[in-house]
Amino acid sequence: MRSFLMNICSGAIWGIVLLETVLACLLFVHWKKNKQPVALLTFFVALGLILDALIIGMGSMLNAEVLKAISPVRFIAHGFLIPLLFPICGYALKLKEPVMKVLWIVTGVLMAAGAAEGFCTVLEMKEMAGVIRFVSSEATPKWADLISKLLSFGTVIPMMIIGVAVWIRQKNPHLFLSGLLMFVFSALGPATGNADLIFFISMFGELFMIFFLYLFVKKQ
């Protein structure tokens, strides 16, 4: 399995960029027609994931200084946009307006913290499976690492929990599947002894997350 993943890594990343771009376009078209908040918010989350995968994919093509200069963008975008999964869950659950206002305030705080985490991440170059990228180094402040981990797992688990409630109430399993597959692919690297490939394996989870969110809004 490891050798297979190492061999397909570079090419598969570009395939994921392409598929996520297609899904982002479909989400935007759907929002234009139906004005569903979940569609628009998922579109923005998809943009952040596309930017992340695109910069990683371009790593081996760029000068090291250029790559280092643009790499913080993917950390900032990730930290700023991933908290949008919370209002996505809120709209999916059809929470009342006062509750959504509180949820948006919390989301705004998390978005600011996520962006700050991205700005403060200290980067170092790493090469794996022919992919050159800048990653968080040991010099990164502990609070920034903590926020990064909280945003990664602290958004997916609520998606699964709320996804179960939405599945029961609305007979729509796609929000649950979106969170579940993101969680599974995030855990798959360490579980199979390929923790160093989690950056790549989790991209499949991100793709499935956006795909099932798109199916969710289509069924609304």
Side-chain angles (χ1 to χ4, degrees):
M1 177 182 174
R2 182 176 177 82
S3 60
F4 173 73
L5 291 173
M6 297 278 282
N7 288 334
I8 70 168
C9 188
S10 296
I13 288 173
W14 286 107
I16 290 170
V17 170
L18 176 61
L19 291 172
E20 286 180 344
T21 302
V22 170
L23 286 170
C25 292
L26 291 173
L27 284 160
F28 187 77
V29 169
H30 185 82
W31 173 75
K32 288 286 287 183
K33 289 181 178 178
N34 300 280
K35 303 301 179 184
Q36 286 177 288
V38 174
L40 183 61
L41 293 175
T42 305
F43 167 75
F44 284 121
V45 172
L47 287 185
L49 297 178
I50 291 166
L51 184 61
D52 181 65
L54 183 64
I55 292 175
I56 290 176
M58 293 173 61
S60 60
M61 305 176 186
L62 299 175
N63 175 275
E65 291 301 318
V66 174
L67 181 60
K68 185 175 182 179
I70 66 173
S71 288
V73 175
R74 71 183 187 89
F75 289 90
I76 295 166
H78 181 275
F80 185 72
L81 294 173
I82 289 301
L84 292 176
L85 292 172
F86 287 115
I88 285 174
C89 290
Y91 286 119
L93 202 55
K94 298 183 179 178
L95 297 178
K96 294 182 178 179
E97 187 175 343
V99 181
M100 283 304 302
K101 286 182 178 178
V102 174
L103 184 57
W104 267 112
I105 292 172
V106 173
T107 300
V109 172
L110 291 174
M111 292 173 75
E117 167 259 316
F119 273 111
C120 294
T121 297
V122 180
L123 303 177
E124 65 179 4
M125 184 183 287
K126 179 170 283 191
E127 182 176 357
M128 172 62 64
V131 175
I132 300 173
R133 71 197 200 283
F134 277 87
V135 302
S136 176
S137 71
E138 292 184 359
T140 297
K142 297 299 181 184
W143 65 266
D145 271 335
L146 178 61
I147 290 175
S148 178
K149 291 175 183 176
L150 286 174
L151 290 180
S152 295
F153 289 97
T155 51
V156 174
I157 293 174
M159 276 183 73
M160 290 191 290
I161 296 171
I162 292 172
V164 172
V166 171
W167 190 353
I168 294 170
R169 294 181 185 182
Q170 303 175 24
K171 311 302 180 187
N172 189 341
H174 296 119
L175 180 65
F176 170 73
L177 292 172
S178 176
L180 175 66
L181 287 170
M182 182 68 248
F183 180 83
V184 168
F185 278 93
S186 295
L188 197 57
T192 59
N194 293 293
D196 53 347
L197 288 173
I198 191 172
F199 78 95
F200 173 51
I201 298 172
S202 64
M203 284 185 184
F204 290 96
E206 293 165 354
L207 176 61
F208 280 118
M209 180 178 74
I210 298 301
F211 174 66
F212 280 103
L213 281 174
Y214 172 68
L215 293 184
F216 176 79
V217 300
K218 286 284 287 183
K219 196 174 179 180
Q220 290 289 288

